[in-house]
Amino acid sequence: MQFIEPGMYPIRILTAADASAYRSLMLEAYEQAPDAFTATAAERRAEPESWWIRRIGSADGLATSLGAWQNEQLVGTVALEYSAKPKTRHAALVLGMYVQAAQRGQGLGLALMKAAVAAASSRPEILALNLTLTEGNEPALRLYRSVGFVTWGVQPQAIRIEAGLKGKVHMSLSLS
C-alpha cells in the first residue's frame, strides 16, 4: 500500500527489506530528539536486526511502519502497534514518529500522520488511535492536534532526561 500526498515524498508501508534504512533513521531520531523517546539511542543500537524487522511489521499483523522517501533515502517514519488482546484490540498505538530536520516544515509530518490514520482506518476493528508525547514538545502537539488527536491526560514525571523529569502527554483520536 502506498500513500502519496500531492507535491510530497512517496509514503509507503515499510517491509523487512527496509530494516537497515529504518534502523539508521530511528537511531538518528534517538540521537537528535532524545527527549521524545522513552528508550535511549544506546538501548536501540543494541537491538538485533530481528527487533527492527518486528518493529517495521510483524508477521502476526501487530505492527505497521510507514516511511517517507526522498529519492532512495528514508527521511521520515511513523509506526502503528496493534494489540492482540481481545479487550484492547480496538485501539492502536502511534509511535516512533520522526522526520529528519532538513525535511521539516514541508508538511511531511502531517502527510505521515494522515497515512498512519488511513492505514489504521483500513482495519475495521480499529476504532481509536493513542499516542504519547513528551511535555513541552509543542511542534508535535500541534501536529497531532491538526489531525484530530485530543489530550486526555498527562502522566507526571514519566521520563528522566538530562534536564530532569518530564511528563508524558496522552492523546487519542476516535476513528468511529
Side-chain angles (χ1 to χ4, degrees):
M1 181 182 288
Q2 184 161 329
F3 306 89
I4 305 242
E5 284 282 318
M8 295 298 298
Y9 306 112
I11 296 173
R12 66 172 172 78
I13 293 175
L14 300 179
T15 68
D18 301 311
S20 178
Y22 180 71
R23 180 182 186 274
S24 289
L25 181 66
M26 289 308 298
L27 289 177
E28 174 186 318
Y30 291 113
E31 292 284 347
Q32 298 298 315
D35 296 356
F37 302 98
T38 56
T40 66
E43 286 175 293
R44 291 300 185 232
R45 236 186 321 280
E47 296 290 359
E49 182 182 25
S50 60
W51 185 91
W52 293 97
I53 291 170
R54 275 192 316 277
R55 172 54 81 77
I56 284 175
S58 59
D60 56 10
L62 296 179
T64 302
S65 293
L66 299 140
W69 301 83
Q70 181 182 38
N71 302 317
E72 298 298 314
Q73 183 180 350
L74 184 63
V75 296
T77 188
V78 64
L80 295 164
E81 197 172 84
Y82 303 100
S83 175
K85 296 178 180 180
K87 291 183 177 182
T88 59
R89 75 175 104 193
H90 64 282
L93 180 64
V94 176
L95 52 99
M97 175 67 187
Y98 181 72
V99 173
Q100 287 183 324
Q103 312 306 323
R104 293 181 192 153
Q106 302 175 46
L108 190 50
L110 179 60
L112 280 163
M113 285 305 298
K114 286 180 176 179
V117 170
S121 296
S122 73
R123 296 173 71 141
E125 72 278 13
I126 302 300
L127 305 177
L129 293 176
N130 298 308
L131 60 81
T132 64
L133 66 139
T134 304
E135 260 183 325
N137 188 341
E138 293 304 316
L141 185 62
R142 282 192 303 275
L143 171 63
Y144 301 142
R145 283 182 175 157
S146 75
V147 292
F149 280 84
V150 294
T151 301
W152 56 265
V154 177
Q155 178 185 356
Q157 301 181 350
I159 61 169
R160 183 183 301 274
I161 58 173
E162 283 188 26
L165 295 168
K166 285 211 168 184
K168 280 291 189 177
V169 178
H170 292 261
M171 302 183 83
S172 293
L173 171 67
S174 175
L175 299 178
S176 55

